[in-house]
Amino acid sequence: AQRVTQPEKLLSVFKGAPVELKCNYSYSGSPELFWYVQYSRQRLQLLLRHISRESIKGFTADLNKGETSFHLKKPFAQEEDSAMYYCALSNQAGTALIFGKGTTLSVSS
Amino acid sequence: EPEVTQTPSHQVTQMGQEVILRCVPISNHLYFYWYRQILGQKVEFLVSFYNNEISEKSEIFDDQFSVERPDGSNFTLKIRSTKLEDSAMYFCASKVARLNEKLFFGSGTQLSVL
C-alpha cells in the first residue's frame, strides 16, 4: 500500500540553523515524490519534485530508494521558511497524489 | 500565474442537506482532483477525474459523493446527504498532464455541517 510518513509534527529552529524535514514512503513501484508547502493563509503549492533534482528557495531533497526516504533539507533556515510542509507520493499512473501528515516548520530569530 | 478558483470559500449546511462545491480549474489543464483536510489532520485524496470520467477514487469517496464537469470549465463535488464528519476544508486541484507535473491547488472551501 502507498504510504507517506512524516514523523515530526513540528520542527522549531533558529534562523541560520540547518533544517531537515523527514519523509519516508512505502510504495511497491518507482515512486514520484514531491514536497508541497503551505504558507500562512495561502494555498498549497509545489516546492519541488524529485524528478527535477532542483533547488528551490535553497531547499533540496534527494530520493534515497534504499532507505525509502525523501528528506527535505536547507542549510540555513530563514524566518520566511516558516510554513507547513507536506511530502507527497504519486502513484505510477499519476492519478492520485498521497500526502503525509505534514510538518510545521517554525523559524525564529 | 494562473490559478484554480473555488467557490464558495465557506459553506455552512445542515446535516442531511446536499451541497455542491464548485471549482474552476486552470483552462488548459486536463486532470482534476478533489482533496479534503479535516481540521488538524492531513490532506486526503478523494477523487481524480480525466476525460469526463473518474480515474481513481479513495475509500472516502463513497456513494454520497459525486463529481461532474458540467460545462467544460467548472468541476464540481456534490455531497448528497451531508454528515457531521464531512466538515472539512475541500481543495480542488488540477494539472496539465498526468505524470511528473505540478498540481495546482485552489484556496479551498471550508464546509461546516451542523
Side-chain angles (χ1 to χ4, degrees):
Chain A
Q2 294 169 223
R3 192 166 56 245
V4 177
T5 304
Q6 293 181 251
E8 302 140 328
K9 197 168 181 177
L10 172 66
L11 184 63
S12 296
V13 301
F14 287 108
K15 179 181 167 181
V19 168
E20 183 179 52
L21 299 167
K22 291 186 168 46
C23 172
N24 288 91
Y25 66 90
S26 172
Y27 187 62
S28 55
S30 290
E32 292 177 23
L33 286 149
F34 306 80
W35 277 97
Y36 278 79
V37 61
Q38 189 171 30
Y39 299 102
S40 179
R41 298 191 183 88
Q42 294 186 29
R43 60 189 70 197
L44 264 169
Q45 55 187 285
L46 178 68
L47 181 62
L48 55 78
R49 47 193 155 175
H50 91 268
I51 196 83
S52 305
R53 303 185 69 82
E54 57 204 341
S55 173
I56 304 292
K57 298 185 181 183
F59 285 97
T60 58
D62 290 318
L63 177 62
N64 185 323
K65 291 187 179 180
E67 295 181 1
T68 60
S69 69
F70 188 57
H71 303 326
L72 184 68
K73 299 178 184 179
K74 184 169 182 175
F76 308 104
Q78 303 298 314
E79 288 182 77
E80 55 265 30
D81 296 328
S82 295
M84 178 73 106
Y85 290 80
Y86 293 95
C87 183
L89 168 71
S90 174
N91 64 355
Q92 206 137 20
T95 50
L97 191 64
I98 307 301
F99 286 85
K101 290 186 177 182
T103 298
T104 299
L105 174 65
S106 175
V107 182
S108 53
S109 56
Chain B
E1 192 170 60
E3 288 186 343
V4 174
T5 56
Q6 288 186 245
T7 55
S9 55
H10 293 87
Q11 172 117 28
V12 181
T13 190
Q14 295 290 325
M15 190 169 58
Q17 294 296 304
E18 175 184 284
V19 293
I20 297 176
L21 309 182
R22 301 181 194 280
C23 169
V24 179
I26 295 170
S27 60
N28 64 330
H29 285 190
L30 301 175
Y31 297 83
F32 314 114
Y33 302 78
W34 282 102
Y35 285 81
R36 78 171 186 192
Q37 186 174 30
I38 295 170
L39 186 63
Q41 297 186 26
K42 68 176 183 178
V43 178
E44 299 175 293
F45 168 75
L46 293 178
V47 66
S48 58
F49 191 86
Y50 168 71
N51 200 26
N52 283 319
E53 59 183 28
I54 290 174
S55 307
E56 184 145 356
K57 58 183 181 178
S58 71
E59 292 172 354
I60 303 166
F61 194 88
D62 61 23
D63 292 344
Q64 291 299 311
F65 290 87
S66 62
V67 289
E68 196 177 29
R69 189 153 160 82
D71 56 13
S73 63
N74 291 283
F75 179 52
T76 61
L77 175 70
K78 183 193 290 187
I79 308 174
R80 285 190 187 78
S81 177
T82 50
K83 303 189 280 285
L84 294 175
E85 53 264 38
D86 293 328
S87 295
M89 180 73 93
Y90 287 81
F91 294 104
C92 174
S94 69
K95 62 179 179 176
V96 64
R98 188 166 57 88
L99 295 174
N100 288 317
E101 281 298 325
K102 177 177 173 178
L103 197 55
F104 288 78
F105 282 85
S107 54
T109 293
Q110 180 65 55
L111 177 65
S112 297
V113 182
L114 307 178

